[in-house]
Amino acid sequence: MLNSRPGSPSEKAPTGIQPLQLSFGRDGFMYVPPTYSPSKPSPLLVLCHGAGHDSHEWTRAPLPELFDKDAIVAVMPDSRQMTWDMIYGDYGPDVRFIDDALALAFKRCRIDPRRIALGGFSDGATYALSLGITNANLFSTILAFSPGFVRPAVKTGKPRIFIGHGRQDEILPVDLTSREIVAALKEKNYPVHFEEFDGPHTVTTEEAKHAVAWFMEG
């Protein structure tokens, strides 16, 4: 379980993209848009990368185009190993690291507790779905791009869930993954928005924009 919660910031947040500086080697980044103001609570989005990658996967995205309009703060942590701990069998060091990254974001930025989302791509999407449902008392929304499965440790609520998946995905075929995940979640009355798009195993800018807009509509 994640323990960090938003409160009153005690530090001034530097704008732009900055390293977390929470670990040597595998670390991560935080993006604070120039539109952020400590006088108004901002939404927060935590993004989990795919297997075999790290947070640089997200820094190559057009962050200002996605986040500046709505002053969304983004946290992009690295998994401790080459992918997320739950994929190896159980939750552990990655949960603690994400908790530390959240604590840093809450220390630097005034965050709207009603608008905190967890997102990810591929193995990161699997992790976002699983960890997000486990910590639905923190995350109001989950944005999952091309997930493989969902396996929460416990269920603390029912967050809003966005799932996007390419129809030509050869790594995690949509008919064996997201379509089955969506059907199972809907059967349990989770509020799910599902989009299929023409494309391979990727997150397109257009699909990311759809997800962010859907997050903000909530």
Side-chain angles (χ1 to χ4, degrees):
M1 298 289 289
L2 296 165
N3 298 311
S4 297
R5 294 295 184 270
S8 299
S10 59
E11 295 182 2
K12 184 178 179 180
T15 58
I17 189 161
Q18 304 286 339
L20 296 175
Q21 294 184 320
L22 295 173
S23 174
F24 294 105
R26 296 185 68 83
D27 183 44
F29 296 94
M30 182 185 303
Y31 178 73
V32 179
T35 49
Y36 167 77
S37 171
S39 64
K40 183 179 179 181
S42 277
L44 174 68
L45 174 57
V46 181
L47 290 168
C48 300
H49 58 77
H53 295 275
D54 57 28
S55 51
H56 287 90
E57 184 173 65
W58 299 111
T59 63
R60 291 187 286 268
L63 301 181
E65 191 176 339
L66 291 169
F67 301 140
D68 287 10
K69 173 179 173 289
D70 297 303
I72 299 171
V73 175
V75 172
M76 298 157 275
D78 289 343
S79 59
R80 301 300 79 209
Q81 299 187 55
M82 293 308 293
T83 194
W84 303 93
D85 50 19
M86 185 270 292
I87 311 298
Y88 293 113
D90 202 1
Y91 295 97
D94 287 329
V95 176
R96 292 188 289 274
F97 190 76
I98 290 173
D99 215 15
D100 289 343
L102 284 166
L104 179 65
F106 298 150
K107 183 167 66 174
R108 290 183 175 176
C109 299
R110 188 178 174 196
I111 299 299
D112 185 347
R114 300 166 300 175
R115 288 189 170 183
I116 302 176
L118 180 61
F121 168 64
S122 191
D123 269 11
T126 297
Y127 200 65
L129 278 171
S130 303
L131 188 65
I133 292 173
T134 300
N135 293 273
N137 50 3
L138 173 64
F139 299 111
S140 65
T141 305
I142 298 170
L143 308 178
F145 303 99
S146 307
F149 59 92
V150 55
R151 193 176 69 213
V154 296
K155 298 173 184 176
T156 60
K158 292 186 175 179
R160 301 167 66 243
I161 298 173
F162 178 103
I163 296 179
H165 209 126
R167 295 188 188 92
Q168 289 78 42
D169 191 334
E170 295 182 352
I171 296 175
L172 292 171
V174 64
D175 56 329
L176 301 178
T177 55
S178 284
R179 289 176 185 168
E180 293 189 357
I181 292 168
V182 169
L185 290 171
K186 286 186 173 180
E187 186 177 347
K188 295 176 182 177
N189 297 315
Y190 282 89
V192 181
H193 177 80
F194 180 39
E195 292 187 0
E196 295 185 16
F197 60 92
D198 288 324
H201 191 65
T202 189
V203 183
T204 65
T205 299
E206 182 179 8
E207 192 64 16
K209 286 181 177 179
H210 288 178
V212 170
W214 186 83
F215 169 39
M216 293 307 299
E217 286 171 4

